[in-house]
Amino acid sequence: MLSDIFEKSSKKLLQYLRAHPIKLDSRFIKQPRFVAEAVETIIDTNFHDIFGQLGEQINEEKGAKSTGDFQFIDSNDITYKVDIKTCNIDKKWNMGNIISTRKLLAGGDMDYTDDSHAFAILAILYSPRGDTVEVYNTIFTLLEWIGWDDIHIQPGLGNGQLQFRSNALKQSFAWNPEASRSDWMKELG
């Protein structure tokens, strides 16, 4: 089952990050984007060992507006774009942007109406300890497995921005691998 493979990959990454802690300059360690970039570098270097059971990594030039921090294609020719979301669990407030709704709708660069595309979230829950990123948990899930109790659309940002609700990341949001994409898309609108 796909959810089992995602969970196994998440655990492998967590073990790796605990065995090989990320070190960052104190100016950057409290900034989630720098932590995400460090995790992305680790994944680029160790994709096969951590996520190889999911498929083959796709190496592609990424721009500032790219969808996903890394991507892979599975044996069924489904392309997965994965966005790394980091959450400093020591902060009182966390409400991360996920993706523009425009990108998910027909004609967007993800076109979530096309089953050959998938968008996944890799959440890294961490705590800065001096110059070391102490990883508390990792969660790897498809977007449609995340319930609408933990996400919402912020209409004031462009065409609408899908966001985690306040502190949903920090509280290790719930996900349901039985959820269907078509039902999830109906909620999206």
Side-chain angles (χ1 to χ4, degrees), residues 85-108:
K85 296 296 176 195
T86 52
C87 176
N88 178 346
I89 61 172
D90 294 341
K91 285 187 170 183
K92 290 185 181 192
W93 187 79
N94 290 282
M95 194 164 105
N97 289 338
I98 300 173
I99 190 170
S100 163
T101 57
R102 177 185 51 78
K103 289 183 177 184
L104 290 176
L105 300 173

Side-chain angles (χ1 to χ4, degrees), residues 4-134:
D4 294 334
I5 297 171
F6 269 57
E7 193 164 337
K8 183 178 178 183
S9 298
S10 181
K11 286 179 182 176
K12 277 184 167 182
L13 179 61
L14 179 61
Q15 289 170 346
Y16 185 92
L17 293 173
R18 286 182 173 165
H20 306 92
I22 297 169
K23 301 280 188 182
L24 288 174
D25 185 286
S26 62
R27 295 173 293 163
F28 306 121
I29 199 161
K30 293 182 181 177
Q31 298 180 37
R33 190 65 239 161
F34 286 102
V35 175
E37 287 174 7
V39 171
E40 183 180 348
T41 299
I42 288 167
I43 290 169
D44 282 346
T45 306
N46 299 283
F47 180 87
H48 184 74
D49 293 333
I50 299 168
F51 296 104
Q53 68 275 14
L54 289 169
E56 292 299 317
Q57 185 175 20
I58 299 171
N59 292 311
E60 181 179 278
E61 286 293 317
K62 295 175 223 129
K65 300 276 185 188
S66 295
T67 302
D69 294 306
F70 68 96
Q71 53 187 326
F72 62 92
I73 189 164
D74 73 6
S75 60
N76 297 316
D77 289 330
I78 298 172
T79 300
Y80 294 81
K81 292 190 177 189
V82 183
D83 200 23
I84 299 169
K85 296 296 176 195
T86 52
C87 176
N88 178 346
I89 61 172
D90 294 341
K91 285 187 170 183
K92 290 185 181 192
W93 187 79
N94 290 282
M95 194 164 105
N97 289 338
I98 300 173
I99 190 170
S100 163
T101 57
R102 177 185 51 78
K103 289 183 177 184
L104 290 176
L105 300 173
D109 65 343
M110 268 302 298
D111 191 359
Y112 226 52
T113 61
D114 180 348
D115 287 339
S116 70
H117 297 257
F119 186 70
I121 301 292
L122 175 59
I124 310 293
L125 286 68
Y126 75 97
S127 201
R129 297 287 181 251
D131 67 347
T132 303
V133 175
E134 185 177 297

Side-chain angles (χ1 to χ4, degrees), residues 138-159:
T138 57
I139 303 167
F140 188 35
T141 179
L142 288 176
L143 181 60
E144 63 263 28
W145 293 349
I146 302 172
W148 284 97
D149 289 342
D150 290 320
I151 57 178
H152 69 106
I153 298 170
Q154 176 62 274
L157 299 171
N159 293 327

